[in-house]
Amino acid sequence: MTATKKSASKKKLVSDTSIITLYMDSVLSQNEEPKNVYTFCKENKIEETDFYSYYGSLDALKQDIWLKLFENAKQTLESDANYLTYSQKDKVLTLYFTLVEVLNLNRSYVCFALRDSKNVLQNLHQMKTFRNHFKSFIVDIVETETSERDMRLNKVLKPLFAEGIWVEFLFILKFWLDDTSKGFEKTDVMIEKAVKATFDFIDTTPVESLFDLGKFVWKEKFN
């Protein structure tokens, strides 16, 4: 074996998954983001060319982390044969619960990524790709007409529904970030109340559910 082949055999194997793992471990261990791609690669002993074969910048890497979180949740849903039989309400409810389960597994990183902002909306840049896939997934849910109410939702509210569900998810995300309850059980309650209020609104019977949701949020935030 030549020296060149020996050198090549010792080269660290790099993939998008390994780069993400290295990045998440790095920022959590050092409690700060790398200054640039060069610094990140040097600290983790990978070639810059290998990094750039997957990501054009650290910002692109951060966006892909959020995308993979969503894709993990989506794959979990699509592996459930019963999911396609759910109502639109139950599909959204299951999506929220599944996303929160994925976020729970990566809570340290998510809290770090959103640490500098009291308002999750200020972090939309790193969640841009996540948002696009999330809204596309919601549109697919809306287009699955399974009842008269679902048909009304599709025809009347479709242009607004995906954006509304996205904003609702950000609200739930912010609640989850602040949740200190055991097993984040209060977030589960929040999800159930939020989805109920949303679909009751679509059914033109919103007042009681919105009042119930408002009472819960007020109690948790101000008491």
Side-chain angles (χ1 to χ4, degrees):
M1 180 181 290
T2 66
T4 301
K5 290 184 177 180
K6 286 183 179 180
S7 176
S9 66
K10 292 181 180 180
K11 183 179 179 180
K12 178 178 283 189
L13 296 177
V14 176
S15 66
D16 57 344
T17 301
S18 65
I19 291 174
I20 285 175
T21 299
L22 289 170
Y23 179 82
M24 294 174 71
D25 287 345
S26 175
V27 298
L28 291 177
S29 297
Q30 300 181 29
N31 198 35
E32 64 177 4
E33 297 181 4
K35 303 300 182 184
N36 49 53
V37 172
Y38 171 80
T39 301
F40 170 72
C41 292
K42 182 177 181 180
E43 290 175 348
N44 291 280
K45 298 180 174 57
I46 62 176
E47 298 292 333
E48 283 188 80
T49 52
D50 289 336
F51 178 95
Y52 286 123
S53 67
Y54 292 99
Y55 302 109
S57 66
L58 290 175
D59 283 342
L61 167 59
K62 289 189 288 185
Q63 286 194 40
D64 196 44
I65 291 175
W66 281 98
L67 175 59
K68 282 182 167 46
L69 292 177
F70 177 77
E71 288 179 338
N72 286 342
K74 182 180 178 181
Q75 289 171 8
T76 299
L77 294 177
E78 293 177 342
S79 66
D80 181 357
N82 294 320
Y83 181 73
L84 291 178
T85 68
Y86 292 172
S87 66
Q88 290 178 343
K89 176 181 177 180
D90 287 339
K91 285 180 178 178
V92 172
L93 188 66
T94 306
L95 172 62
Y96 284 162
F97 279 131
T98 305
L99 277 171
V100 168
E101 287 178 4
V102 172
L103 293 176
N104 285 341
L105 295 174
N106 298 274
R107 184 173 174 87
S108 293
Y109 175 77
V110 173
C111 289
F112 173 86
L114 303 179
R115 72 197 184 287
D116 291 333
S117 176
K118 294 181 180 179
N119 185 349
V120 175
L121 293 175
Q122 295 178 13
N123 293 277
L124 288 182
H125 179 70
Q126 65 177 301
M127 300 172 71
K128 179 180 179 180
T129 309
F130 177 107
R131 174 179 178 271
N132 291 339
H133 282 73
F134 179 98
K135 289 180 63 179
S136 178
F137 191 76
I138 295 299
V139 168
D140 289 342
I141 291 176
V142 173
E143 291 177 341
T144 305
E145 301 178 357
T146 59
S147 70
E148 183 179 345
R149 182 188 61 73
D150 291 344
M151 292 177 67
R152 183 170 70 253
L153 172 62
N154 190 21
K155 293 177 180 179
V156 179
L157 297 177
K158 178 181 175 181
L160 301 175
F161 186 68
E163 189 64 39
I165 292 296
W166 168 248
V167 172
E168 182 174 72
F169 171 72
L170 292 180
F171 185 65
I172 291 169
L173 176 59
K174 181 63 171 66
F175 189 94
W176 172 80
L177 286 169
D178 296 334
D179 189 1
T180 58
S181 64
K182 181 177 64 176
F184 309 107
E185 55 191 16
K186 289 183 179 178
T187 297
D188 291 343
V189 175
M190 177 64 187
I191 289 172
E192 292 177 349
K193 291 184 180 295
V195 172
K196 184 177 188 301
T198 296
F199 281 85
D200 279 358
F201 186 86
I202 294 169
D203 284 332
T204 69
T205 58
V207 177
E208 183 176 348
S209 292
L210 288 174
F211 181 70
D212 187 35
L213 173 61
K215 282 197 307 182
F216 176 74
V217 174
W218 180 269
K219 178 181 177 182
E220 296 303 323
K221 292 298 182 182
F222 300 105
N223 288 353

